[in-house]
Amino acid sequence: MYHMDTCGCQCQKYAMAVVPMQEWGELYDWKTALCNGTIFPDLNLEFFAAQNMSCAFCNGPSSRQEAMKLEIDMISFALNDLMLYLDTHPDCEKGLTLFGQLQKRRHDLLKEYASCYYPLTQDSMNGDATGHDGSFSWSECPAPWEGGICVCGTMKSGYNFR
């Protein structure tokens, strides 16, 4: 179990693990995937007893803006999880096709959200980032970690970056 290193230290030997290659299978719907932390039901393994835990994402949105943001979150999560799969399965046609579809859907959602409220990402800014006075105004909108959704429900038209 132990061997002597060249410096005279006692070191443990490395272990070798055999991990089966994941295969493409049935996918969760995007809301279930977000709540379970994976798009692949086969990878949803219990590591500890977590029965009857509520999902903060699954209680349902209370406004159109929150519903749009939830859909963006679900699609973005699915894209991230799918990228991890494609890292080890770069020739999977089903995965590549779904990735292209989700990427387009996310782009469209971000564009729609930006036109209705404010951009969530730099690449979802419609046009340029100048406000009504011509100055750089990216920072005028609330960031997602600052609440991200206007309390009054309406953003000033100068915040739409059109």
Side-chain angles (χ1 to χ4, degrees), residues 95-160:
L96 290 168
T97 300
L98 181 58
F99 185 83
Q101 293 168 350
L102 291 176
Q103 198 172 32
K104 182 181 180 336
R105 180 68 181 141
R106 182 176 184 273
H107 177 267
D108 294 345
L109 286 168
L110 286 170
K111 185 176 179 181
E112 180 183 357
Y113 190 93
S115 69
C116 292
Y117 306 104
Y118 49 86
L120 293 173
T121 64
Q122 293 168 339
D123 59 339
S124 66
M125 299 168 93
N126 294 328
D128 61 62
T130 55
H132 59 279
D133 63 353
S135 65
F136 185 74
S137 58
W138 168 258
S139 62
E140 290 181 24
C141 296
W145 56 88
E146 297 173 322
I149 296 176
C150 181
V151 176
C152 64
T154 309
M155 298 297 291
K156 294 180 181 176
S157 62
Y159 287 15
N160 287 330

Side-chain angles (χ1 to χ4, degrees), residues 25-98:
E26 189 174 326
L27 304 177
Y28 281 132
D29 65 86
W30 306 136
K31 186 174 185 178
T32 303
L34 183 63
C35 291
N36 284 298
T38 181
I39 62 173
F40 300 101
D42 293 344
L43 297 182
N44 190 9
L45 306 173
E46 289 189 36
F47 293 103
F48 61 92
Q51 296 178 354
N52 300 322
M53 288 183 67
S54 63
C55 175
F57 302 111
C58 300
N59 294 333
S62 62
S63 68
R64 179 176 182 268
Q65 185 176 5
E66 286 183 12
M68 288 177 71
K69 181 70 173 70
L70 178 61
E71 187 173 1
I72 290 168
D73 289 345
M74 292 185 301
I75 298 298
S76 297
F77 175 80
L79 263 172
N80 287 337
D81 208 27
L82 190 55
M83 278 195 315
L84 295 173
Y85 174 81
L86 290 171
D87 280 344
T88 57
H89 301 76
D91 299 324
C92 178
E93 289 297 322
K94 290 180 180 177
L96 290 168
T97 300
L98 181 58

